[in-house]
Amino acid sequence: MSHPAPLPAPGAAPALRRLLDLLAAGAAAEDYAAVPARARRDGAGPEVLAEIEEATALALTVHRTLGQHRRREAELTALFDTATDLAASRDLDQVLRAIVHRARLLLGTDTAYLTLPDEAAGDTYMRVTDGSVSPLFQNLRLNLGDGLGGLVAQTARPYATPDYRTDERFRHTGRIDAGVAEEGLVAILGVPLLLGRQVVGVLFAADRQPRAFAPDQVALLCSLAAHAAIALDTAGALADTRAALAELNAADTVIRANAAAAQRAEQAHDRLTDLVLRGADLAEVASEVATLLGGRIAVQDAEGYPHTGRAATAGLAGAVERSRAEGRAVRHGDGWVCAVLAGQELLGSLLLSGRGDLDDADRRLFERAGVVTALLLLLRRSAAEAEHRVRGELLTDLLTAPDRDPAALLARGRRLGVDLSRPHLVLVAETGPHGRSRLAGAAAQYLFGRPARPGGPPPAWRPGGAPTGRRLGDGARGVSAEHEDAVVLLLPADPGAGADMAADEAAAAAAQRLARLAGQPVTVGAGRPAAGPAALAAAHAEAARCVRALHALGRTGDGASAASLGFLGVLLGDGHDVAGFVAHTLGPLLEYDARRGTELVRTVRAYFACGGSLTRAKDELHVHVNTVVQRLDRVEALLGRDWNGPERALELQLALRLALLSDG
């Protein structure tokens, strides 16, 4: 059994009490050495002195143990405070600064700092420093793998160096060494910030004097690094959560916007569908779309002619083609353009002005309006084609048998909206043998496809005789039909326009536009305006002869009237309409002579026979020269001032000779 320690000798009691006082006061270690020294000075015996020295050693052991406990308590307090910071603070920089500052205080180093990787730049940078005085060191950036931090990051283990400048275990670089030298650091300890096995940073403690770091100091810095890693992970998770919440909020906003847009699109679709079912026209649909989109809507056909509204057309063809190729509405200037399509066929275009940017919902609504417009155009075209076929049968019967039952033809025409008793122009259009079907479709589109262009040619030759802005089909309308390897067009004539000029302009305009619509040259001949079945059939024969004359003259792809060709039409047309040419050229003189009993035709014949000499002409006619002058003045009044010009004189002389031969 153990025996209790012997009590110290009475002479040692004062020294022992002094040691207890020092322990209670927390005195420094060097103060304990003064107790046995004082006992020696006081003459303590060897036994007493040995006892005092043994007690002093025990007191120093207790002193060191208490110091370790106090230091451990401070470390635990720091770790607890750090954990509290992590739980209470949402500011990552604030938490990291607190961790670095505590590391510096607990390890008693001159500086402490934390580096983090920069994934975008591919290096690491100083995130937090404490105790640093060098701007170069504070802004130092390290390549991955460089310096003591690179070694720690690569191995995921703590490393300490008592003298950074001479340690060869890691890769030195001039930039890092310069920063360390400017800061004056010598001893450095670095520990990794670990999340699982991933190193997310490095925490350092450094002194400006050589120093060896104890294992408990390394463990303490590792604990602080673990808290820093948790702070980084928490911050990342919080950022992810915030981003997820933001995405959810954005998704909710988009869903709400899409729901509202879908509801608005559904309402717009119902309104447009209702318009179509009620038989609304393009103007009503355009007005409704303009109201829905808050802008102005214009509808144009495939060639850029306006159906409704007006819009700038500069560069429009390119925008329409781009919309057609992309299958969606496109921006054009300060507005928008949407091609109106039926499959791959371009029917026209919608032009939206007065609106800047269109969101997806409004853009889809604008494109939906293009679909509705295409439907209306197809319905109207189908109705027009059906009606046109019936009207074409009337034209075929008119040309085939005009004398069979004229009254029945007139009645059929009135039922179909064609007044054959009013003057009409007859056009005959021809193209190559492989393009006749396209020409027939082009003729129908020419008659029914568009209104007259503002500022265009006179109303006399416009399809339907409609004034500017009036649609063909409102009132008097044209008719077309295939007949004898050609396409015949019957157009109402304007009685107020010059008949010959109207026919010539109508033929030229029709040749030009039909060629564009058919995609190949088209030759068009026109007869004189005529009324009634028989006269219209005769006008058709005249127009057909004009086409043949144009081919003979090498003017294929051109348009002209028989009147404009003059005697060339008589010479080159295979029908040789002598009577028609004579009547057209001398008609006013013949009518005047028949009505007044005068001799204007005989006077003109004598005038030309005498080479234009008034004296010889009066002898030929056996009248006074003044009578010749008066008759020629009347001729000028009836035929025009250019009656004796070279071209008119040639036609007049040919007509006089043909008339004389016909009478003979």
Side-chain angles (χ1 to χ4, degrees):
M1 58 181 295
S2 60
H3 297 280
L7 294 175
L16 295 179
R17 183 176 181 91
R18 176 61 181 166
L19 290 173
L20 290 175
D21 289 339
L22 291 175
L23 287 173
E30 53 269 21
D31 293 338
Y32 290 87
V35 175
R38 183 174 179 178
R40 289 189 191 93
R41 287 196 303 270
D42 292 343
E47 294 182 358
V48 172
L49 187 59
E51 186 69 25
I52 292 174
E53 288 178 346
E54 183 179 358
T56 300
L58 290 173
L60 286 173
T61 300
V62 172
H63 177 270
R64 285 193 298 271
T65 301
L66 290 175
Q68 290 175 350
H69 288 171
R70 284 193 295 270
R71 185 169 64 253
R72 186 60 179 167
E73 181 182 359
E75 293 172 355
L76 292 175
T77 300
L79 292 176
F80 178 79
D81 291 342
T82 301
T84 303
D85 291 342
L86 290 175
S89 177
R90 295 174 181 262
D91 186 346
L92 177 63
D93 286 337
Q94 179 180 348
V95 173
L96 294 180
R97 282 194 296 270
I99 290 174
V100 171
H101 179 68
R102 289 183 183 122
R104 178 190 173 202
L105 292 180
L106 292 175
L107 271 69
T109 56
D110 295 322
T111 64
Y113 51 96
L114 177 69
T115 63
L116 296 179
D118 186 340
E119 295 182 359
D123 59 8
T124 59
Y125 67 101
M126 293 286 186
R127 178 65 181 267
V128 180
T129 62
D130 189 78
S132 172
V133 296
S134 167
L136 176 62
F137 183 78
Q138 294 166 11
N139 295 285
L140 196 62
R141 299 188 74 93
L142 297 79
N143 292 327
L144 299 177
D146 290 346
L148 178 62
L151 182 61
V152 172
Q154 287 179 337
T155 61
R157 295 173 55 190
Y159 275 90
T161 175
D163 190 346
Y164 179 88
R165 295 165 297 181
T166 60
D167 199 328
E168 299 297 333
R169 290 178 298 169
F170 44 83
R171 186 167 60 219
H172 289 261
T173 67
R175 182 172 52 183
I176 299 176
D177 289 352
V180 171
E182 184 170 299
E183 188 64 52
L185 300 181
V186 178
I188 302 176
L189 168 63
V191 298
L193 278 63
L194 293 173
L195 285 176
R197 295 183 178 182
Q198 180 183 3
V199 177
V200 296
V202 179
L203 178 61
F204 297 89
D207 257 342
R208 295 187 175 92
Q209 299 294 330
R211 170 180 175 174
F213 291 95
D216 59 339
Q217 292 176 320
V218 175
L220 174 61
L221 195 61
C222 286
S223 297
L224 292 173
H227 284 79
I230 294 172
L232 290 172
D233 186 45
T234 302
L238 184 59
D240 291 342
T241 302
R242 288 173 177 170
L245 288 175
E247 290 179 359
L248 287 175
N249 290 333
D252 180 67
T253 302
V254 171
I255 291 172
R256 291 176 181 272
N258 288 340
Q263 183 178 8
R264 181 166 174 260
E266 181 180 357
Q267 294 173 349
H269 180 265
D270 291 342
R271 293 169 68 176
L272 293 177
T273 302
D274 182 62
L275 285 176
V276 174
L277 294 177
R278 287 193 291 107
D281 59 14
L282 286 176
E284 293 178 87
V285 173
S287 177
E288 185 66 29
V289 175
T291 301
L292 291 171
L293 293 177
R296 297 181 299 277
I297 292 289
V299 184
Q300 298 191 352
D301 69 7
E303 294 184 89
Y305 292 90
H307 283 297
T308 65
R310 293 184 178 181
T313 57
L316 179 63
V320 172
E321 186 58 35
R322 186 155 49 93
S323 173
R324 178 183 186 179
E326 297 179 9
R328 61 189 181 90
V330 298
R331 191 70 181 265
H332 176 61
D334 59 352
W336 291 82
V337 172
C338 181
V340 178
L341 302 172
Q344 293 300 315
E345 180 185 0
L346 178 65
L347 301 179
S349 59
L350 291 182
L351 287 78
L352 172 63
S353 56
R355 278 291 303 266
D357 292 334
L358 288 180
D359 57 25
D360 289 341
D362 282 349
R363 186 167 179 169
R364 287 194 296 271
L365 176 56
F366 184 43
E367 293 166 352
R368 186 185 296 266
V371 175
V372 173
T373 302
L375 177 61
L376 285 179
L377 290 175
L378 287 174
L379 290 174
R380 189 173 69 176
R381 186 169 74 178
S382 297
E385 288 175 350
E387 181 183 1
H388 188 65
R389 283 193 296 271
V390 177
R391 291 154 62 87
E393 293 173 359
L394 169 66
L395 180 56
T396 300
D397 292 344
L398 173 67
L399 299 178
T400 303
D403 300 325
R404 179 180 303 167
D405 193 350
L409 289 173
L410 290 173
R412 284 175 59 191
R414 283 192 295 272
R415 287 196 300 269
L416 295 174
V418 181
D419 188 356
L420 297 177
S421 65
R422 295 182 56 189
H424 283 74
L425 285 175
V426 180
L427 304 182
V428 174
E430 287 187 357
T431 188
H434 300 294
R436 287 171 187 160
S437 60
R438 288 200 300 271
L439 178 57
Q445 186 176 353
Y446 176 60
L447 293 176
F448 292 93
R450 64 173 176 87
R453 179 191 286 274
W461 64 265
R462 288 195 186 109
T468 300
R470 179 180 177 191
R471 286 210 58 81
L472 187 62
D474 299 338
R477 293 172 289 179
V479 185
S480 70
E482 294 185 69
H483 183 70
E484 296 180 350
D485 297 331
V487 174
V488 181
L489 295 89
L490 187 66
L491 310 178
D494 184 357
D500 293 343
M501 180 179 297
D504 201 46
E505 290 178 345
Q512 182 179 6
R513 186 152 190 264
L514 288 174
R516 288 202 306 271
L517 294 173
Q520 58 190 36
V522 178
T523 306
V524 179
R528 295 179 183 83
L536 288 171
H540 166 260
E542 184 180 56
R545 288 193 296 271
C546 182
V547 170
R548 289 189 286 271
L550 288 172
H551 288 310
L553 289 170
R555 292 174 59 182
T556 298
D558 201 354
S561 65
S564 68
L565 294 181
F567 72 93
L568 292 176
V570 177
L571 294 176
L572 299 174
D574 57 5
H576 301 305
D577 185 14
V578 174
F581 175 70
V582 171
H584 172 69
T585 307
L586 298 177
L589 302 184
L590 293 170
E591 292 175 4
Y592 192 87
D593 284 347
R595 190 171 60 252
R596 300 292 184 90
T598 56
E599 294 185 334
L600 296 183
V601 174
R602 181 168 174 259
T603 301
V604 172
R605 184 182 291 117
Y607 173 76
F608 284 125
C610 295
S613 170
L614 297 178
T615 303
R616 292 172 56 192
K618 61 99 174 173
D619 294 338
E620 178 74 20
L621 296 170
H622 305 290
V623 295
H624 194 275
V625 69
N626 290 339
T627 301
V628 177
V629 172
Q630 291 172 1
R631 291 179 180 178
L632 294 181
D633 287 342
R634 175 59 58 186
V635 170
E636 181 176 329
L638 293 172
L639 299 182
R641 298 183 60 181
D642 63 339
W643 70 274
N644 59 349
E647 185 174 344
R648 291 291 301 279
L650 178 59
E651 290 191 358
L652 285 170
Q653 292 180 67
L654 179 59
L656 289 169
R657 180 60 59 89
L658 291 172
L660 184 61
L661 293 173
S662 297
D663 293 340

